Amino acid sequence: MTGRSSTEGFDPSGIDDEAWEELERQLEATIPVYDRVNRYMTLGTDKSMRKHVRKHAIEGMNILEVGCGPGSFAETIRDVELTCLDPSAEMLKICKKRVDAARTQFNEKPATYVQAIAEEIPLEANTYDRVFCLFSFRDFKDKRAGLEEIFRVLKPGGKLVICDAGKANKLHGLFGRLWMATFVQWTARIITKDPNHPWKWLAKTYTHYGTHRYYKSMMNEIGYQDVGARLLLPFGMASRFIAVKPK
């Protein structure tokens, strides 16, 4: 037993199997309106969040995105070797269509697509200059195992960049929970026209998500260096973590 029975299978360290499998089903249900809901619920700042993270991808680098979803971030990355990983075949199907279309437009070779979970990445060690996780880290089944696998596949000196829902501390998390429980839920219900829309699960994962201190400590214990976390302005809706694998 994980001791998560009182929290429906969630805690800051991870998600129980049954809850995670249902979460994946709910995430797949977001595909038709994924970008639209995210744009409205972030008051249009989702693009600036991706731009803030994208600046860490430098021309010629070998890049891995873990939890690529439908390709909203991956389709914007230029002039790199790109691998997109996601546990969902449906997400990868949409991602491949979008990303390869974008890369063809810029005369770039197709990306590589891998169906796998973050905790068991079927890729060679010491391979990637950058690993990105955009709004996927919160959904890892086992946060420590996922961070350890990312550490393994990063090259020495390589960098992990995470962007996810912001929770700087418990007080900030309280305001975040109110936002998730009100505006986000209203927005998703209006757009999906479904009172049981899948964004209810977004609120659930956020409630049990850890703080900056919690995950920075975990990364340091694994062996990452120069670990940092900050809220992204103007609204502090998202956090950006950066951690480096020692050379």
Coordinates of all heavy atoms in Angstrom, one line a residue, residues 53-125:
V53 N 10.3 28.6 -22.2 CA 11.0 27.3 -22.1 C 11.8 27.1 -23.3 O 12.9 26.6 -23.3 CB 10.0 26.2 -21.8 CG1 10.7 24.8 -21.9 CG2 9.3 26.4 -20.5
R54 N 11.2 27.4 -24.5 CA 11.8 27.1 -25.8 C 13.2 27.8 -25.9 O 14.0 27.2 -26.7 CB 10.9 27.6 -26.9 CG 11.3 27.1 -28.3 CD 10.2 27.3 -29.3 NE 10.0 28.8 -29.5 CZ 8.8 29.4 -29.2 NH1 7.8 28.7 -28.7 NH2 8.6 30.7 -29.5
K55 N 13.4 28.9 -25.3 CA 14.7 29.5 -25.4 C 15.9 28.7 -24.9 O 17.1 29.0 -25.3 CB 14.7 30.9 -24.7 CG 14.7 30.8 -23.2 CD 14.6 32.2 -22.6 CE 14.6 32.1 -21.0 NZ 14.4 33.5 -20.4
H56 N 15.6 27.6 -24.2 CA 16.6 26.7 -23.7 C 17.0 25.7 -24.7 O 18.0 24.9 -24.5 CB 16.2 26.0 -22.4 CG 16.0 27.0 -21.3 ND1 17.1 27.4 -20.5 CD2 14.9 27.6 -20.7 CE1 16.7 28.3 -19.6 NE2 15.4 28.4 -19.7
A57 N 16.3 25.6 -25.8 CA 16.6 24.7 -26.9 C 17.4 25.4 -28.0 O 17.0 26.4 -28.6 CB 15.3 24.2 -27.6
I58 N 18.7 25.1 -28.1 CA 19.7 25.8 -28.9 C 19.9 24.9 -30.2 O 19.9 23.7 -30.2 CB 21.0 26.0 -28.1 CG1 20.7 26.9 -26.9 CG2 22.0 26.7 -29.0 CD1 21.9 27.0 -25.9
E59 N 20.1 25.7 -31.3 CA 20.3 25.0 -32.6 C 21.3 23.9 -32.5 O 22.4 24.1 -31.9 CB 20.7 26.1 -33.6 CG 20.9 25.5 -35.0 CD 21.2 26.6 -36.0 OE1 21.2 27.8 -35.6 OE2 21.6 26.3 -37.1
G60 N 21.0 22.8 -33.1 CA 21.9 21.6 -33.2 C 21.8 20.7 -32.0 O 22.4 19.6 -32.1
M61 N 21.1 21.0 -31.0 CA 20.9 20.1 -29.8 C 20.1 18.9 -30.1 O 19.3 18.9 -31.0 CB 20.3 20.9 -28.6 CG 21.3 21.8 -27.9 SD 20.5 22.5 -26.4 CE 21.9 23.2 -25.6
N62 N 20.3 17.9 -29.3 CA 19.5 16.7 -29.3 C 18.5 16.8 -28.1 O 18.9 16.9 -27.0 CB 20.3 15.4 -29.1 CG 19.6 14.2 -29.5 OD1 18.4 14.2 -29.9 ND2 20.2 13.0 -29.3
I63 N 17.2 16.9 -28.5 CA 16.2 17.3 -27.5 C 15.2 16.1 -27.3 O 14.8 15.5 -28.3 CB 15.4 18.5 -28.0 CG1 16.3 19.7 -28.3 CG2 14.2 18.9 -27.1 CD1 16.9 20.3 -27.1
L64 N 14.8 15.9 -26.1 CA 13.7 15.0 -25.7 C 12.6 15.7 -25.0 O 12.9 16.4 -24.0 CB 14.3 13.8 -24.8 CG 13.3 12.9 -24.2 CD1 12.5 12.1 -25.2 CD2 13.9 12.0 -23.2
E65 N 11.4 15.5 -25.4 CA 10.3 16.0 -24.6 C 9.5 14.8 -24.0 O 9.1 14.0 -24.7 CB 9.3 16.9 -25.4 CG 8.2 17.4 -24.5 CD 7.1 18.3 -25.2 OE1 7.1 18.4 -26.5 OE2 6.2 18.8 -24.5
V66 N 9.5 14.8 -22.7 CA 8.8 13.8 -22.0 C 7.4 14.2 -21.6 O 7.2 15.2 -20.9 CB 9.6 13.4 -20.7 CG1 8.8 12.4 -19.9 CG2 10.9 12.8 -21.0
G67 N 6.4 13.5 -22.1 CA 5.0 13.9 -21.9 C 4.6 14.9 -23.0 O 4.2 16.0 -22.6
C68 N 4.9 14.6 -24.2 CA 4.7 15.6 -25.3 C 3.2 16.0 -25.6 O 2.9 17.0 -26.2 CB 5.3 15.1 -26.6 SG 4.7 13.6 -27.2
G69 N 2.3 15.1 -25.1 CA 0.9 15.4 -25.4 C 0.6 15.5 -26.8 O 1.2 14.8 -27.7
P70 N -0.3 16.4 -27.2 CA -0.6 16.6 -28.7 C 0.3 17.4 -29.5 O 0.0 17.7 -30.6 CB -2.0 17.2 -28.6 CG -2.0 18.0 -27.4 CD -1.2 17.3 -26.4
G71 N 1.5 17.7 -28.9 CA 2.5 18.4 -29.7 C 2.5 19.9 -29.6 O 3.2 20.6 -30.4
S72 N 1.8 20.5 -28.7 CA 1.7 22.0 -28.6 C 3.0 22.7 -28.5 O 3.2 23.7 -29.1 CB 0.8 22.4 -27.5 OG -0.5 21.7 -27.5
F73 N 3.9 22.1 -27.7 CA 5.3 22.6 -27.6 C 6.2 22.1 -28.7 O 7.0 22.9 -29.3 CB 5.8 22.3 -26.2 CG 7.3 22.7 -26.0 CD1 7.6 24.1 -25.9 CD2 8.3 21.8 -25.8 CE1 8.9 24.5 -25.7 CE2 9.6 22.2 -25.6 CZ 9.9 23.6 -25.6
A74 N 6.2 20.8 -28.9 CA 7.2 20.2 -29.8 C 7.1 20.8 -31.2 O 8.1 20.9 -31.9 CB 7.0 18.7 -29.9
E75 N 5.9 21.2 -31.7 CA 5.8 21.7 -33.0 C 6.4 23.1 -33.2 O 6.6 23.6 -34.3 CB 4.3 21.8 -33.4 CG 3.5 22.9 -32.7 CD 2.1 23.0 -33.2 OE1 1.8 22.4 -34.2 OE2 1.3 23.7 -32.6
T76 N 6.8 23.8 -32.1 CA 7.4 25.1 -32.1 C 8.9 25.1 -32.1 O 9.5 26.1 -32.2 CB 6.9 26.0 -31.0 OG1 7.4 25.5 -29.7 CG2 5.3 25.9 -30.9
I77 N 9.5 23.9 -31.9 CA 11.0 23.9 -31.7 C 11.7 23.7 -33.1 O 11.3 22.8 -33.9 CB 11.4 22.7 -30.8 CG1 10.7 22.7 -29.5 CG2 12.9 22.7 -30.5 CD1 10.9 21.5 -28.6
R78 N 12.6 24.5 -33.3 CA 13.3 24.6 -34.6 C 14.8 24.2 -34.5 O 15.4 24.4 -33.5 CB 13.2 25.9 -35.3 CG 11.8 26.5 -35.5 CD 11.2 26.1 -36.8 NE 10.9 24.7 -36.9 CZ 9.8 24.2 -36.4 NH1 8.9 25.0 -35.9 NH2 9.5 22.9 -36.5
D79 N 15.3 23.6 -35.6 CA 16.7 23.4 -35.8 C 17.4 22.5 -34.7 O 18.5 22.7 -34.3 CB 17.5 24.7 -35.9 CG 16.9 25.6 -37.0 OD1 16.7 25.1 -38.1 OD2 16.7 26.8 -36.7
V80 N 16.6 21.5 -34.3 CA 17.2 20.5 -33.4 C 16.8 19.1 -33.8 O 15.9 18.9 -34.6 CB 16.7 20.7 -31.9 CG1 17.0 22.1 -31.4 CG2 15.2 20.5 -31.8
E81 N 17.5 18.1 -33.3 CA 17.0 16.7 -33.3 C 16.0 16.5 -32.2 O 16.3 16.9 -31.1 CB 18.2 15.7 -33.2 CG 19.2 15.8 -34.3 CD 20.3 14.7 -34.1 OE1 19.9 13.5 -33.8 OE2 21.5 15.0 -34.3
L82 N 14.9 16.0 -32.6 CA 13.8 16.0 -31.6 C 13.2 14.6 -31.4 O 12.8 13.9 -32.4 CB 12.7 16.9 -32.1 CG 11.4 17.0 -31.2 CD1 11.7 17.6 -29.9 CD2 10.4 17.9 -31.9
T83 N 13.0 14.2 -30.2 CA 12.3 13.0 -29.8 C 11.1 13.3 -28.9 O 11.3 14.1 -27.9 CB 13.2 12.0 -29.1 OG1 14.3 11.6 -29.9 CG2 12.5 10.7 -28.7
C84 N 9.9 12.8 -29.2 CA 8.7 13.1 -28.5 C 8.3 11.8 -27.8 O 8.1 10.8 -28.5 CB 7.6 13.6 -29.4 SG 8.0 15.2 -30.2
L85 N 8.1 11.8 -26.5 CA 7.7 10.6 -25.7 C 6.4 10.9 -25.0 O 6.3 11.9 -24.4 CB 8.9 10.3 -24.8 CG 8.7 9.0 -23.9 CD1 10.0 8.4 -23.6 CD2 8.0 9.4 -22.5
D86 N 5.5 9.9 -25.0 CA 4.3 10.0 -24.3 C 3.7 8.6 -24.1 O 3.9 7.7 -24.9 CB 3.2 10.9 -25.1 CG 2.1 11.4 -24.2 OD1 1.2 10.7 -23.9 OD2 2.3 12.6 -23.7
P87 N 3.0 8.4 -22.9 CA 2.5 7.1 -22.7 C 1.2 6.8 -23.6 O 0.8 5.6 -23.7 CB 2.1 7.1 -21.2 CG 1.9 8.5 -20.9 CD 2.9 9.3 -21.8
S88 N 0.6 7.8 -24.2 CA -0.6 7.7 -24.9 C -0.4 7.5 -26.4 O 0.1 8.5 -27.0 CB -1.5 8.8 -24.6 OG -2.6 8.9 -25.5
A89 N -0.9 6.4 -27.0 CA -0.8 6.3 -28.4 C -1.6 7.4 -29.1 O -1.2 7.9 -30.2 CB -1.3 4.9 -28.8
E90 N -2.8 7.7 -28.6 CA -3.6 8.7 -29.2 C -2.9 10.1 -29.2 O -3.0 10.9 -30.2 CB -5.0 8.8 -28.4 CG -5.9 7.6 -28.7 CD -6.2 7.5 -30.2 OE1 -6.6 8.5 -30.8 OE2 -6.0 6.4 -30.7
M91 N -2.3 10.5 -28.1 CA -1.6 11.7 -28.0 C -0.5 11.7 -29.0 O -0.3 12.7 -29.8 CB -1.0 12.0 -26.6 CG -2.0 12.4 -25.5 SD -2.6 14.1 -25.8 CE -3.4 14.3 -24.2
L92 N 0.3 10.7 -29.1 CA 1.4 10.6 -30.1 C 0.9 10.7 -31.5 O 1.6 11.3 -32.4 CB 2.2 9.3 -29.9 CG 3.2 9.3 -28.7 CD1 3.8 7.9 -28.5 CD2 4.3 10.3 -28.8
K93 N -0.2 10.1 -31.8 CA -0.8 10.2 -33.2 C -1.0 11.6 -33.6 O -0.7 12.1 -34.7 CB -2.1 9.4 -33.2 CG -2.8 9.4 -34.6 CD -4.1 8.6 -34.5 CE -4.8 8.6 -35.8 NZ -6.1 7.8 -35.8
I94 N -1.6 12.4 -32.7 CA -1.9 13.8 -33.0 C -0.6 14.6 -33.0 O -0.4 15.5 -33.9 CB -2.9 14.4 -31.9 CG1 -4.2 13.6 -31.9 CG2 -3.1 15.9 -32.2 CD1 -4.9 13.6 -33.2
C95 N 0.3 14.3 -32.0 CA 1.6 15.0 -32.0 C 2.4 14.8 -33.3 O 2.9 15.7 -33.8 CB 2.4 14.4 -30.8 SG 4.0 15.2 -30.6
K96 N 2.4 13.6 -33.8 CA 3.2 13.3 -35.0 C 2.7 14.1 -36.2 O 3.4 14.6 -37.0 CB 3.1 11.8 -35.3 CG 4.0 11.3 -36.5 CD 4.0 9.8 -36.7 CE 5.0 9.4 -37.7 NZ 4.9 10.1 -39.0
K97 N 1.3 14.1 -36.3 CA 0.7 14.9 -37.4 C 1.1 16.3 -37.4 O 1.5 16.9 -38.4 CB -0.8 14.7 -37.4 CG -1.5 15.4 -38.5 CD -3.0 15.1 -38.4 CE -3.8 15.8 -39.5 NZ -5.2 15.5 -39.5
R98 N 1.0 16.9 -36.2 CA 1.3 18.4 -36.0 C 2.8 18.7 -36.2 O 3.2 19.6 -36.9 CB 0.8 18.8 -34.7 CG -0.7 18.9 -34.5 CD -1.1 19.2 -33.1 NE -0.7 20.6 -32.7 CZ -1.1 21.2 -31.6 NH1 -1.9 20.5 -30.8 NH2 -0.7 22.4 -31.3
V99 N 3.6 17.9 -35.5 CA 5.0 18.2 -35.4 C 5.7 17.9 -36.8 O 6.5 18.8 -37.2 CB 5.7 17.4 -34.3 CG1 7.2 17.6 -34.3 CG2 5.2 17.8 -33.0
D100 N 5.4 16.8 -37.4 CA 6.0 16.5 -38.7 C 5.6 17.5 -39.8 O 6.4 17.9 -40.6 CB 5.7 15.1 -39.2 CG 6.5 14.1 -38.4 OD1 7.4 14.4 -37.7 OD2 6.2 12.9 -38.6
A101 N 4.3 18.0 -39.7 CA 3.9 19.1 -40.6 C 4.7 20.3 -40.4 O 5.1 21.0 -41.4 CB 2.4 19.3 -40.4
A102 N 4.9 20.7 -39.2 CA 5.7 21.9 -38.9 C 7.1 21.8 -39.3 O 7.7 22.7 -39.9 CB 5.6 22.2 -37.4
R103 N 7.7 20.6 -39.1 CA 9.1 20.4 -39.4 C 9.3 20.3 -41.0 O 10.3 20.7 -41.5 CB 9.6 19.1 -38.7 CG 9.7 19.3 -37.2 CD 10.2 18.1 -36.5 NE 11.6 17.8 -36.7 CZ 12.6 18.3 -36.0 NH1 12.3 19.2 -35.1 NH2 13.8 17.9 -36.3
T104 N 8.3 19.7 -41.7 CA 8.4 19.7 -43.1 C 8.3 21.1 -43.7 O 9.1 21.4 -44.7 CB 7.2 18.9 -43.7 OG1 7.3 17.5 -43.2 CG2 7.2 18.9 -45.2
Q105 N 7.5 21.9 -43.1 CA 7.4 23.3 -43.5 C 8.8 24.1 -43.5 O 9.1 24.9 -44.3 CB 6.4 24.1 -42.7 CG 6.2 25.5 -43.1 CD 5.1 26.2 -42.2 OE1 4.5 25.5 -41.3 NE2 5.0 27.5 -42.3
F106 N 9.6 23.7 -42.5 CA 10.9 24.3 -42.3 C 12.0 23.4 -42.9 O 13.2 23.6 -42.5 CB 11.1 24.6 -40.9 CG 10.2 25.8 -40.4 CD1 9.0 25.5 -39.8 CD2 10.7 27.1 -40.5 CE1 8.2 26.6 -39.4 CE2 9.9 28.1 -40.0 CZ 8.6 27.9 -39.5
N107 N 11.7 22.5 -43.7 CA 12.7 21.6 -44.3 C 13.6 20.9 -43.3 O 14.8 20.7 -43.5 CB 13.6 22.4 -45.3 CG 12.8 23.0 -46.4 OD1 12.0 22.3 -47.0 ND2 13.0 24.3 -46.7
E108 N 12.9 20.4 -42.2 CA 13.6 19.6 -41.2 C 13.2 18.2 -41.2 O 12.0 17.9 -41.6 CB 13.3 20.2 -39.8 CG 13.8 21.6 -39.6 CD 13.5 22.2 -38.3 OE1 12.6 21.7 -37.6 OE2 14.1 23.2 -37.9
K109 N 14.0 17.3 -40.8 CA 13.7 15.9 -40.9 C 12.6 15.6 -39.8 O 12.5 16.3 -38.8 CB 14.9 15.0 -40.7 CG 15.5 15.0 -39.3 CD 16.7 14.1 -39.2 CE 17.3 14.1 -37.8 NZ 18.4 13.1 -37.7
P110 N 11.8 14.5 -40.0 CA 10.8 14.2 -39.0 C 11.4 13.9 -37.6 O 12.5 13.5 -37.5 CB 10.1 13.0 -39.5 CG 10.4 13.0 -41.0 CD 11.8 13.6 -41.1
A111 N 10.5 14.2 -36.6 CA 10.9 13.8 -35.2 C 10.8 12.3 -35.0 O 10.3 11.6 -35.8 CB 10.1 14.6 -34.2
T112 N 11.4 11.9 -33.9 CA 11.2 10.5 -33.5 C 10.1 10.4 -32.4 O 10.1 11.3 -31.5 CB 12.5 9.9 -32.9 OG1 13.5 10.0 -33.9 CG2 12.4 8.5 -32.4
Y113 N 9.3 9.4 -32.4 CA 8.2 9.3 -31.5 C 8.3 8.0 -30.7 O 8.5 6.9 -31.3 CB 6.8 9.3 -32.2 CG 6.7 10.6 -33.0 CD1 7.2 10.7 -34.3 CD2 6.3 11.8 -32.4 CE1 7.1 11.9 -35.0 CE2 6.2 13.0 -33.1 CZ 6.7 13.1 -34.4 OH 6.6 14.2 -35.1
V114 N 8.1 8.0 -29.4 CA 8.3 6.9 -28.5 C 7.1 6.8 -27.6 O 6.8 7.8 -26.9 CB 9.6 7.0 -27.7 CG1 9.8 5.8 -26.8 CG2 10.8 7.2 -28.6
Q115 N 6.4 5.7 -27.6 CA 5.4 5.5 -26.6 C 5.9 4.8 -25.4 O 6.4 3.6 -25.4 CB 4.2 4.6 -27.2 CG 3.0 4.5 -26.3 CD 1.9 3.7 -26.8 OE1 2.0 3.2 -28.0 NE2 0.9 3.5 -26.0
A116 N 6.0 5.5 -24.3 CA 6.6 5.0 -23.0 C 6.2 5.9 -21.9 O 5.8 7.0 -22.1 CB 8.1 4.9 -23.2
I117 N 6.4 5.4 -20.7 CA 6.2 6.2 -19.5 C 7.5 6.8 -19.1 O 8.6 6.3 -19.4 CB 5.6 5.4 -18.3 CG1 6.4 4.2 -17.9 CG2 4.2 4.9 -18.7 CD1 5.9 3.5 -16.7
A118 N 7.4 7.9 -18.3 CA 8.7 8.6 -17.9 C 9.5 7.8 -17.0 O 10.8 7.9 -17.0 CB 8.3 9.9 -17.2
E119 N 8.9 6.9 -16.3 CA 9.6 6.0 -15.3 C 10.4 4.9 -16.0 O 11.2 4.3 -15.4 CB 8.6 5.5 -14.3 CG 7.9 6.5 -13.5 CD 6.7 7.1 -14.1 OE1 6.5 6.8 -15.3 OE2 6.1 8.0 -13.5
E120 N 10.1 4.7 -17.3 CA 10.8 3.6 -18.0 C 11.1 4.1 -19.4 O 10.4 3.7 -20.4 CB 10.0 2.3 -18.0 CG 9.7 1.7 -16.7 CD 8.8 0.5 -16.7 OE1 8.5 0.0 -17.8 OE2 8.4 0.1 -15.6
I121 N 12.1 4.9 -19.6 CA 12.4 5.5 -20.9 C 13.3 4.6 -21.7 O 14.4 4.3 -21.2 CB 13.1 6.9 -20.7 CG1 12.2 7.9 -20.0 CG2 13.5 7.5 -22.0 CD1 12.8 9.2 -19.6
P122 N 12.8 4.1 -22.8 CA 13.6 3.1 -23.5 C 14.6 3.7 -24.5 O 14.6 3.4 -25.7 CB 12.5 2.3 -24.3 CG 11.5 3.4 -24.6 CD 11.5 4.3 -23.4
L123 N 15.4 4.6 -24.0 CA 16.4 5.3 -24.8 C 17.8 5.2 -24.1 O 17.9 4.9 -22.9 CB 16.0 6.7 -24.9 CG 14.6 7.0 -25.6 CD1 14.2 8.4 -25.5 CD2 14.7 6.6 -27.1
E124 N 18.8 5.4 -24.9 CA 20.2 5.2 -24.4 C 20.6 6.3 -23.4 O 20.1 7.5 -23.4 CB 21.2 5.3 -25.6 CG 21.0 4.2 -26.6 CD 21.4 2.8 -26.0 OE1 22.4 2.8 -25.1 OE2 20.8 1.8 -26.3
A125 N 21.4 5.9 -22.5 CA 21.9 6.9 -21.5 C 22.8 7.9 -22.1 O 23.4 7.7 -23.2 CB 22.7 6.1 -20.4

